[in-house]
Each structure stands twice: as C-alpha cells, then as structure tokens.
Amino acid sequence: MRILAIVAALLVTGGVVTVAGSAFADSDSGDSGILSALSSDESDSGSGDSEEGSGDENSDEGSGTGDGQESNAQDDQNGGDNAGEDGQGDGGDERRGDENNGMTQDEGEVDADNEGAAVEAAEAADPFPGRDEAADADDGDYVDINDVEANGNIGDGGAFSGGSYSVDCGVSDHNNSDNYMAAPGKRNGAQHVHDYVGNQSTNADSDDDSLEQAGTSCVNEDQSTFFWPVLRDTNGQSPDEGEDGGSLDGNRGSILQPRSAQLTFRGHGDEQVEPMPTHLMMIMGNAKQGAQNGENVNAKYTCSNAQDRVTEQYPICGGGGRLMRLLDYPSCWDGQNLESKNFRDHMAFPDDEGNCSDGFTPIPALRITLTYDQPEGRTFQVDSFPNEQHDPKTDHSDFENLASQDSNDAGAACINEDRTCANLPQ
C-alpha cells in the first residue's frame, strides 16, 4: 500500500519524479527496479548521449557504437586509429579484413616485395656498391680482329630483311651516370657514364611527361631517347676525376665521342612488321652480366675494315680500321605491354631467321651502330659498374620510343614496302 501511494504521488507530481525516485532509491534499494522501469526513457536517453560522446571521441569520422558494449567501442577506436589511407574507421572487423588482404598476397608478390626490401636495405647501407672491386679491363678482354673468325654476326638479332628507316640524332647530346629506367630517381644509379642522343632532358628523374616536354637532337623532332655507356681512352684526361660515375666508380680516361651514331630500324623474318608503339621501352645487353652469370649478353664489336668479323671482345683494328659497336635490340613484342619490370619480359629476340615465336608480334628491329677512331693498342674500354671491371661483354643500351604514331606507321610502311627511308616527319 505504501508503494502504491508513492506511485500515485509520482504520477501526479511529474515535475519532481526524479527527486522522489532518487530519494526512494537511496532509502529502499530493494524496490529500485520499479523506479528504473518508470524512468527508463530518460535514463536510456542519457546513456545514449554518453555513448555517442565516447564514439565521437574515439572513432574516425565520429562513428560510435551506441549499444553500450564496451568491447565494440574499443573496436571502433582501433578501427579509427588504424584506418590509414582508406579512411575506414568504422569497426575492427573491417580493419582486420584489410590487414588479411595485405597478408594473403600472391606468393610471387610477397617474394618480390621481400626482394625489393632487401635491395633497398642494401642500397641504404652502401648506395654505390662494388667500388672496392674496380679495375681496368685485362689483356684477355682484347683480340686482334684478324684472329676473329669471319662469322658475319653473333648473338641475338641482326638477321634483317625488307626495308628500313633511320633517324639522324647526332653523335652525343649530353652525358650523366643516371638510368631512369633501371634506377628511377637515383643520381648515379648507373655508376657509369651514359652517352645520350635524341631527347635532351634524359636523366634520373625522367618520365613520359618530362620527356614529351623536352627538346631533341634529332633532325626530324623525334623525342625518343637512346643511350649507352661511353667509351674511354684510358691514356686521356678524365673529365670526372673524383666524381660519381667517374673515377670514384672506376671509370677513368677521356670520353671518346663517336664519329657517327647510326640509328636504324629494319625488317626481319617472313612476316610484315607492325608499327612500333609510342612509349615502348626496352633494353639490350646486360650491364651486370658478370654478377648475373652472363645472362642476356649481346655485346658485338667489329672493325670498319673487317665487318664480317664480329666479336664479344674489344677488337684491335689494324690497317686504319675504326672500332664499331653494334647494339641490336629485341624486335618481337607481346602486343600488350609497353614495359615490364625488368624491361625484357614484354620483348623477345627473333630466331636466327628473324621470325618471332607464337604470341609475339614482329616490330621494327633497332640496331645502333657506333663508330670510333680507336686509340692505340689496349688503351680503351667501355664504362661499367665498378665490380664488372670494364668487361666488354657488359655493353648495353636503353631506348624509349617517343616518335609520333604517324611516324611509326610510316616507318612500318617503309619496311613492309622494301623502301629505305630517313628522318620521317613527326
């Protein structure tokens, strides 16, 4: 009866319900359940406001739990704290899902990531390795051209047919020891000096946009970039003594400028070539062949007066002959990729008859022919990584095609129609 009286009083005097309820709860805790039921709307509302405040404080985007569950509120806090770039902070399950996605990569991707991390760690410890192994080429790296068999050609590429087109880009536009393909953004990434023709801006920071905005040494305004290691006279004065890429990396002597640099694209095999795509990137040869067990070597040297004799060694040309370097590029394209991680997998060399294997499309075959006045005796060598010690087999070259598609189309037509063309307009 006492309780019923109190309830009736509360219903009549709603303005003091909270005070009366509190007083009653303090004096008679055994009956507090009834007061809680009567005041449930107000107390739940207060609890909800408190939860939202906690949620706003501890989660990303202000998402609270609102359900009074402490563990979920903690999940929200962790989700907000660990959301990262994806902006997700609305629950621990999604956060853990993101982490699982990162951990269940393809095994090859994980291996590549681990390999990349190992390379980065090694470069951080020694950004320019191998300097303690630097040495000049030895006597066994040279051969008298008269002792070379009359072979006509060695290595990959060089089996040509049909027409051709060429571009005149001069003999040497600028030098540096960068390589934006193999070591993007890294100054002295090559640890040897490159000779460049074509695009006049090529350096460590080059990309498609910067190359497209630059000038060119090519007479037809072709902005393609072509580069290769310089040849030096070891009796000459070094222009980069005490500098990266120069004597610090074991490269010494005066830099020899070619008498000529012929850049010619030719047909090959039994099928017509497709036009070379703009922005196709590729390399030939291997600057690290010693460290990589001779893989991808394609060094070719000869003499102007004995061009039917081609060798991997530095030739000693007699009788007034000039030294020649032949840089043959792969000319079978996968038809899809303009580049690949190693700049090789999207390209392949044709067979000995010049034909591409199934799955590859024939495109024009680039051969760069460099001709030099040769110093006396064994006093010349190509620049190299220091631990490669100027081995002639390290000769290599890099190329990115920035010719316009109209020019590429016209070049393919020259080849397929068995014509000889030069400096096609862009």
Side-chain angles (χ1 to χ4, degrees), residues 132-183:
D132 58 335
E133 302 176 56
D136 287 340
D138 60 38
D139 287 350
D141 289 327
Y142 299 83
V143 63
D144 189 314
I145 194 64
N146 295 314
D147 294 334
V148 176
E149 179 184 354
N151 46 34
N153 183 46
I154 61 172
D156 293 318
F160 304 126
S161 63
S164 68
Y165 65 98
S166 60
V167 56
D168 179 6
C169 299
V171 294
S172 178
D173 179 72
H174 65 285
N175 304 119
N176 60 48
S177 57
D178 301 340
N179 189 325
Y180 78 96
M181 294 186 190

Side-chain angles (χ1 to χ4, degrees), residues 205-411:
D205 299 320
S206 292
D207 58 24
D208 287 351
D209 290 338
S210 68
L211 293 171
E212 287 178 346
Q213 295 170 13
T216 177
S217 65
C218 302
V219 298
N220 66 341
E221 301 302 320
D222 184 345
Q223 293 173 296
S224 299
T225 181
F226 309 79
F227 55 103
W228 50 81
V230 299
L231 185 74
R232 296 192 192 230
D233 177 355
T234 55
N235 285 335
Q237 181 66 39
S238 299
D240 44 15
E241 183 69 27
E243 296 180 12
D244 291 335
S247 65
L248 289 182
D249 288 301
N251 300 302
R252 66 182 189 87
S254 57
I255 294 175
L256 297 174
Q257 189 173 93
R259 289 180 62 89
S260 64
Q262 296 174 297
L263 315 174
T264 305
F265 300 83
R266 294 178 169 89
H268 54 95
D270 301 327
E271 298 183 31
Q272 291 194 334
V273 300
E274 294 294 324
M276 183 174 287
T278 301
H279 288 303
L280 182 67
M281 302 168 71
M282 62 177 108
I283 62 175
M284 60 75 55
N286 187 355
K288 296 183 177 181
Q289 67 85 31
Q292 298 177 1
N293 300 316
E295 293 180 3
N296 301 305
V297 166
N298 202 32
K300 302 180 183 184
Y301 302 88
T302 188
C303 297
S304 60
N305 58 351
Q307 294 185 43
D308 61 336
R309 300 171 186 263
V310 184
T311 174
E312 289 183 339
Q313 296 170 280
Y314 296 125
I316 306 299
C317 302
R322 295 189 174 99
L323 172 67
M324 303 177 70
R325 297 163 65 185
L326 309 177
L327 307 173
D328 280 329
Y329 278 83
S331 54
C332 300
W333 177 45
D334 70 3
Q336 297 180 356
N337 299 294
L338 298 179
E339 60 182 285
S340 50
K341 186 175 181 179
N342 59 5
F343 297 99
R344 298 184 190 277
D345 291 346
H346 65 305
M347 300 295 302
F349 280 99
D351 62 22
D352 291 342
E353 285 71 44
N355 293 310
C356 297
S357 61
D358 291 343
F360 283 85
T361 299
I363 61 171
L366 170 60
R367 168 177 276 190
I368 300 175
T369 304
L370 306 174
T371 304
Y372 301 82
D373 290 331
Q374 179 181 292
E376 292 289 332
R378 294 169 170 80
T379 60
F380 63 94
Q381 58 192 18
V382 296
D383 268 23
S384 73
F385 284 97
N387 58 320
E388 294 289 339
Q389 301 175 349
H390 307 281
D391 191 318
K393 294 191 291 293
T394 62
D395 207 6
H396 61 281
S397 182
D398 298 56
F399 164 65
E400 180 174 356
N401 178 38
L402 279 92
S404 70
Q405 198 57 56
D406 285 346
S407 179
N408 295 327
D409 292 344

